[in-house]
Structures are given as C-alpha cells and as structure tokens.
Amino acid sequence: MGNFSAIIFDLGKVVFDLSFDWTFQYWAKVSGKPFDDIRSRFRFDEVFDRFERGEISAGEFRKEVSQRLDIILSDEDFDKGWCDLYLDTYKNIDNLLTGLKHDYKLVALTNTNIIHDKVWKVKYADTLIHFEKVFCSHELKTRKPEKKAYQFVLDYLHVKPGHAIFLDDNSENVKGAAALGIATILVTSQAQMNEGLKKIGLLI
C-alpha cells in the first residue's frame, strides 16, 4: 500500500460518463435552435466557473446562458437539458471502489453546481455510498484547480499531500493537485486508470 492512506476521486468521466452534447441536443429540441449553433455559443468561462463556486444563483446562470444562446426556455426545460448530460457509471467501478475502500479512505472532489447537484446525487446514489464524503465546489465556494479546493479535502482527511492520490480526467485539475504535492493520475480511460493504480501499488 506504500505511503498512501487516501484516494481522492473526481466523478464525471472517472466514476460515471457524461456528455454536454445531450444538454445541447435537448435545448435545441425545445428551443427550435440548431444544435451546432447552441454548441458553438456555449462557453465554459468565468460565468460557468462562478456558478460552480456558488457565487451566482441558478436564476442568474439561466438568464446569462439563455441570453448568450439566444433561446427562451422555462426554468424546467433549462434544468432538464442542463442535467441531461449524465450517462451511466463505468463498468466495474463499483467493484473497484469496494476493493479500495478496505485499505484506503475514499472521498470525491467534484466541480458541480446547485442544479446538477440535485440530479447526480440521486442518479448515482448506489455508487456514491462508497465514498466517505463527497466535496462539491458550489458548497466549498472554490473549485478545482484552485488550491483551496484540494486543501479542504486534505484537512478533512487529516493527511499530508504526499499520503494522498488524486484521480481526474482534466489535466489542469491534475496539475493543481500535483502543485500541492499530491500524487496524481490523469484518467483517460478505465483501463488506463486501473493500470495507473497498479503501477503505484494500490491495485494488485
């Protein structure tokens, strides 16, 4: 088991799959706007980041995005589309988490928001029970790759950075964790993630 005592998992594209294309397709269907137009106009920018830090309300986010996309949607249709991105958990992820939690503290650290939060916590409830705690950016008021996000988790775990490993599919988030001295795995697939865990001795 080496010196590691805790594993910090990202959720989307690590534990379960997701695609914003499903969001854009739903909004296109209910608004009558072309999918490509909506997809090209949407931006993962400071407004998106502020929403994930809980700095703006759901209403403010809906208004800003709707204006940018030039669409008029009810709150219900906006939220339905916004949450349509969630797909299935990855095959064998439950077996992996079940095995790991016997030897390590497992927690999750996810960039999310108040609208998404209400959906994925229910959809993936059977898998989320494997985590001792799930840290959400909009509740922490900080998001990956900001230093404070990782520090919140380390403080909760009562571990030094060198005793934790962080798994994420986003290279900037991985760099943010590595800057604090946390060991990292940049996840590109489930097979590659498992190989990474084996390489550092967390899996046999």
Side-chain angles (χ1 to χ4, degrees), residues 129-170:
I129 59 172
H130 298 302
F131 296 107
E132 182 177 318
K133 187 172 178 62
V134 177
F135 295 87
C136 302
S137 60
H138 70 292
E139 296 171 345
L140 299 178
K141 307 301 181 184
T142 182
R143 68 190 295 279
K144 301 173 292 185
E146 295 159 9
K147 179 180 178 179
K148 284 199 306 181
Y150 309 103
Q151 196 60 55
F152 266 114
V153 180
L154 293 174
D155 289 346
Y156 168 84
L157 292 168
H158 300 292
V159 300
K160 295 179 180 179
H163 293 168
I165 183 163
F166 173 68
L167 299 88
D168 200 295
D169 68 303
N170 182 294

Side-chain angles (χ1 to χ4, degrees), residues 10-12 26 78 83 111 131 141 147 154 166 175 183:
D10 177 33
L11 292 178
Y26 184 85
F78 185 99
C83 296
N111 286 345
F131 296 107
K141 307 301 181 184
K147 179 180 178 179
L154 293 174
F166 173 68
K175 290 176 185 176

Side-chain angles (χ1 to χ4, degrees), residues 52-165:
E52 289 199 328
R53 292 191 205 100
E55 295 174 352
I56 60 175
S57 68
E60 290 171 316
F61 181 72
R62 293 188 195 102
K63 180 179 179 181
E64 180 69 29
V65 172
S66 296
Q67 287 178 344
R68 179 175 300 170
L69 303 184
D70 191 26
I71 56 177
I72 299 174
L73 299 176
S74 66
D75 289 354
E76 181 180 9
D77 276 338
F78 185 99
D79 291 2
K80 171 67 169 64
W82 187 233
C83 296
D84 253 13
L85 77 165
Y86 293 113
L87 305 176
D88 294 333
T89 54
Y90 288 115
K91 185 178 179 181
N92 295 324
I93 191 67
D94 287 289
N95 290 337
L96 174 68
L97 297 174
T98 297
L100 289 173
K101 70 181 180 182
H102 288 302
D103 298 315
Y104 307 96
K105 285 189 169 186
L106 300 188
V107 297
L109 173 61
T110 182
N111 286 345
T112 188
N113 57 78
I114 195 171
I115 301 176
H116 281 163
D117 178 273
K118 297 173 183 177
V119 171
W120 60 260
K121 283 185 177 178
V122 175
K123 183 177 178 67
Y124 306 114
D126 289 346
T127 296
L128 296 174
I129 59 172
H130 298 302
F131 296 107
E132 182 177 318
K133 187 172 178 62
V134 177
F135 295 87
C136 302
S137 60
H138 70 292
E139 296 171 345
L140 299 178
K141 307 301 181 184
T142 182
R143 68 190 295 279
K144 301 173 292 185
E146 295 159 9
K147 179 180 178 179
K148 284 199 306 181
Y150 309 103
Q151 196 60 55
F152 266 114
V153 180
L154 293 174
D155 289 346
Y156 168 84
L157 292 168
H158 300 292
V159 300
K160 295 179 180 179
H163 293 168
I165 183 163

